[in-house]
């Protein structure tokens, strides 16, 4: 065991049956502390900044660069964004924004362009005079792309001149220089992902195109173009798409519900602001039993939701339940309806703009701002209440009334199937006169109290193929 010396146990080299304690030659001292300079931390632990070094992280590089262009659009300075996949899986992103500043940065003693491209947590997103809202809050986006690229070239059109600087693994190859004159403004980033870091460097056109389509819906009026120049066909053509949405979130919901049966032809659209937080919502009920809600903060898809999504769900449940209770729809039910029931068959887009978003992680998949929950809750609740009172939005009123009636039947009737009812009507009647179908479901489910639920409707006269009666 050891010798007792001055009331302390002193270990010996021999332990037990001839076993010896091996002394480590490794020492932990000041020399063990490493300081990673510049962008070395990104290259050392890339997954901390872009999620992973596989398929997802590779495409995230493009999203980071495009998000910078979108921030220019949010500030009102950009209308066109072009993304090209060049041979060798090289990415080029061009916008017509103001262009990254290139003048001398007094504190860093170098060009502002070089600061933005090579210094973590550097950028205009922290100055609300430059960007009121932005997705790139952390200021590490484009510098991370630079660090994880074997080669990157930045070309800035600004103040009548063309400025250029190139980098290798995040390090400048030369100082910012002027290479010509120009009459336009904007920034072009051309980069090659570092094959020594990423498991794969093969970009998928469809994934990038889907993201650009999504951004077009979230930013109506902005042109987003994408082309793949890697493998042209026999005629020399190559895949390319252009996205421009004038309807915004309305068109987004229509696109998502393209192959679903809808309760009403048009989505419900709401737009408002509470506590300085703009809230935009588009929603539509379908005959499916699944919930499809997508949430965004400053154009960033928050896959894991967050406080803005919680606020929307809370407002929707409380407001619809209050309306249903006041209308007497659920008086005959012997069980409580919960929030999940109000979201069955719902397709919705919830988009908010937050000046100081607090995301969980650099990949920004979940919003953490507590104040956003209350703002979204109040905004959505007020907008839904306004729908009940506004005589000019009968389509929206009808959509929600139909959903409540369907909910009334579907829960106790154990999911009455739509096709069982559609047999009794012509397809045109089913598409153009949904109230008839709802009443038919009530009858089909054999609810003797249906006359009490709909006292203003004469059921025996309404349920005919040629009827055009609707709720009021």
């Amino acid at each position: 065991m050891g010798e007792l010396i001055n009331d302390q146990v002193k270990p010996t080299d021999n332990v037990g049956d001839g076993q010896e304690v091996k002394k480590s030659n490794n020492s932990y001292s000041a020399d063990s502390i490493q300081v990673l300079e510049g962008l070395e931390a990104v290259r050392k632990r890339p997954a901390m900044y872009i999620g992973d070094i596989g398929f997802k992280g590779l495409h995230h590089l493009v999203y980071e660069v495009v998000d910078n262009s979108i921030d220019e659009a949010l500030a009102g300075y950009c209308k066109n964004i072009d993304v090209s996949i060049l041979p060798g899986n090289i990415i080029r992103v061009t916008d017509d924004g103001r262009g990254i500043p290139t003048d001398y940065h007094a504190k860093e003693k170098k060009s502002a362009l070089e600061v933005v491209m090579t210094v973590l947590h550097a950028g205009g997103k922290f100055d609300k005079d430059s960007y009121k809202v932005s997705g790139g809050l952390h200021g590490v986006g484009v510098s991370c792309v630079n660090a994880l690229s074997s080669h990157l070239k930045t070309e800035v059109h600004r103040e009548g001149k063309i400025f250029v600087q190139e980098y290798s693994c995040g390090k400048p190859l030369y100082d910012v220089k002027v290479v010509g004159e120009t009459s336009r403004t904007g920034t072009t980033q051309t980069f090659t992902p570092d094959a020594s870091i990423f498991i794969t460097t093969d970009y998928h056109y469809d994934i990038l195109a889907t993201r650009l389509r999504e951004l077009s819906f979230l930013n109506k009026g902005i042109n987003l173009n994408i082309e793949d120049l890697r493998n042209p066909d026999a005629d020399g053509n190559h895949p390319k798409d252009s996205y421009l949405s004038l309807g915004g979130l309305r068109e987004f919901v229509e696109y998502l519900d393209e192959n679903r049966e809808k309760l009403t032809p048009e989505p419900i659209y709401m737009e408002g602001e509470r506590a300085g937080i703009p809230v935009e919502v588009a929603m539509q009920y379908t005959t499916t039993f699944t919930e499809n809600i997508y949430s965004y903060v400053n154009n960033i898809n928050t896959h894991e939701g967050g406080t803005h999504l919680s606020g929307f769900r809370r407002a929707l449940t409380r407001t619809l339940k209050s309306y249903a209770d006041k209308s007497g729809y659920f008086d005959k039910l012997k069980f409580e309806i919960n929030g999940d029931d109000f979201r069955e068959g719902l397709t919705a887009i919830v988009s908010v703009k937050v000046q100081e978003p607090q995301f969980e992680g650099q990949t920004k998949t979940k919003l953490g701002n507590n104040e956003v929950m209350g703002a979204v809750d109040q905004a959505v609740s007020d907008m839904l209440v306004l729908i009940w009172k506004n005589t000019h939005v009968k389509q929206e009123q009808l959509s929600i009334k139909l959903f409540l009636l369907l909910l009334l039947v579907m829960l106790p009737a154990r999911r009455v199937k739509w096709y069982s009812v559609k047999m009794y009507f012509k397809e045109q009647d089913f598409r153009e006169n949904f109230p008839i179908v709802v009443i038919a479901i009530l009858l089909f489910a054999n609810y003797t109290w249906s006359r009490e639920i709909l006292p203003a409707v004469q059921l025996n006269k309404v349920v005919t193929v040629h009827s055009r009666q609707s709720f009021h």
Side-chain angles (χ1 to χ4, degrees), residues 253-271:
V253 170
E254 290 174 348
Y255 171 78
L256 294 173
D257 283 343
E258 186 176 7
N259 297 317
R260 300 185 182 116
E261 292 282 8
K262 310 166 190 65
L263 291 188
T264 50
E266 299 292 334
I268 298 172
Y269 178 77
M270 301 176 287
E271 186 176 12

Side-chain angles (χ1 to χ4, degrees), residues 119-189:
V119 178
L120 286 178
H121 307 294
K125 313 303 173 60
F126 303 102
D127 180 9
K128 292 310 170 187
D129 290 333
S130 300
Y131 295 95
K132 185 177 180 180
V133 295
S134 70
L137 172 72
H138 300 282
V140 299
V142 70
S143 56
C144 279
V145 176
N146 192 12
L148 301 177
S149 299
S150 57
H151 181 267
L152 186 147
K153 178 181 179 181
T154 300
E155 181 179 304
V156 177
H157 290 239
R158 185 182 174 97
E159 300 170 348
K161 300 178 181 179
I162 302 175
F163 300 86
V164 172
Q165 188 172 39
E166 295 181 66
Y167 316 84
S168 177
C169 300
K171 297 180 180 180
L173 298 179
Y174 49 80
D175 292 337
V176 176
K177 61 183 179 181
V178 177
V179 297
E181 297 181 349
T182 181
S183 58
R184 72 175 188 88
T185 61
T187 301
T188 297
Q189 302 281 14

Side-chain angles (χ1 to χ4, degrees), residues 24-43:
S24 175
N25 292 324
N26 298 327
S27 61
Y28 182 57
S29 63
D31 294 335
S32 304
I33 307 301
Q34 296 183 8
V35 178
L36 300 178
E37 300 291 342
L39 298 177
E40 292 179 24
V42 180
R43 294 183 60 82

Side-chain angles (χ1 to χ4, degrees), residues 130-414:
S130 300
Y131 295 95
K132 185 177 180 180
V133 295
S134 70
L137 172 72
H138 300 282
V140 299
V142 70
S143 56
C144 279
V145 176
N146 192 12
L148 301 177
S149 299
S150 57
H151 181 267
L152 186 147
K153 178 181 179 181
T154 300
E155 181 179 304
V156 177
H157 290 239
R158 185 182 174 97
E159 300 170 348
K161 300 178 181 179
I162 302 175
F163 300 86
V164 172
Q165 188 172 39
E166 295 181 66
Y167 316 84
S168 177
C169 300
K171 297 180 180 180
L173 298 179
Y174 49 80
D175 292 337
V176 176
K177 61 183 179 181
V178 177
V179 297
E181 297 181 349
T182 181
S183 58
R184 72 175 188 88
T185 61
T187 301
T188 297
Q189 302 281 14
T190 306
F191 64 91
T192 305
D194 193 339
S196 67
I197 291 179
F198 290 95
I199 298 174
T200 176
T201 58
D202 184 23
Y203 279 103
H204 283 217
Y205 176 85
D206 291 340
I207 291 179
L208 296 178
T210 297
R211 174 56 179 165
L212 293 189
R213 182 193 296 113
E214 183 180 59
L215 288 171
S216 72
F217 289 135
L218 294 167
N219 302 274
K220 53 187 176 184
I222 298 178
N223 291 296
L224 293 109
N225 308 298
I226 183 171
E227 59 180 352
D228 188 347
L229 301 175
R230 291 174 296 183
N231 300 304
D233 59 21
D235 298 325
N237 300 318
H238 51 267
K240 59 181 179 179
D241 287 286
S242 297
Y243 303 106
L244 171 64
S245 174
L246 300 179
L249 298 193
R250 283 192 184 94
E251 291 184 3
F252 201 168
V253 170
E254 290 174 348
Y255 171 78
L256 294 173
D257 283 343
E258 186 176 7
N259 297 317
R260 300 185 182 116
E261 292 282 8
K262 310 166 190 65
L263 291 188
T264 50
E266 299 292 334
I268 298 172
Y269 178 77
M270 301 176 287
E271 186 176 12
E273 182 174 328
R274 291 294 181 277
I277 300 175
V279 180
E280 192 178 3
V281 175
M283 51 184 275
Q284 183 166 254
Y285 281 104
T286 68
T287 61
T288 64
F289 303 130
T290 57
E291 168 190 340
N292 296 284
I293 302 179
Y294 303 88
S295 61
Y296 297 85
V297 178
N298 302 352
N299 292 316
I300 297 171
N301 189 344
T302 45
H303 300 283
E304 298 180 58
T307 52
H308 56 321
L309 182 57
S310 299
F312 169 74
R313 286 173 169 167
R314 188 168 67 181
L316 183 71
T317 301
R318 185 183 65 254
T319 309
L320 291 189
K321 190 175 188 305
S322 174
Y323 178 80
D325 290 340
K326 292 177 181 179
S327 303
Y329 284 171
F330 300 155
D331 289 350
K332 299 294 181 178
L333 293 182
K334 297 182 179 180
F335 53 88
E336 189 70 19
I337 294 181
N338 58 40
D340 292 338
D341 298 323
F342 285 104
R343 297 191 298 272
E344 279 198 357
L346 175 65
T347 299
I349 306 294
V350 181
S351 177
V352 298
K353 299 293 190 295
V354 183
Q355 287 194 10
E356 297 289 346
Q358 302 298 321
F359 294 106
E360 297 185 7
Q362 166 59 15
T363 51
K364 309 168 188 139
T365 55
K366 188 174 183 179
L367 183 67
N369 299 62
N370 290 327
E371 72 277 8
V372 176
M373 181 185 297
V376 174
D377 184 341
Q378 189 62 48
V380 172
S381 179
D382 291 348
M383 289 186 288
L384 284 173
V385 169
L386 188 61
I387 288 178
W388 314 143
K389 299 179 179 179
N390 193 340
T391 57
H392 301 291
V393 290
K394 289 186 177 180
Q395 186 69 38
E396 286 86 347
Q397 292 174 351
L398 176 61
S399 176
I400 295 177
K401 287 181 179 180
L402 289 176
F403 166 70
L404 293 174
L405 286 171
L406 283 176
L407 181 61
L408 177 70
V409 173
M410 291 301 190
L411 289 175
R414 306 297 295 177

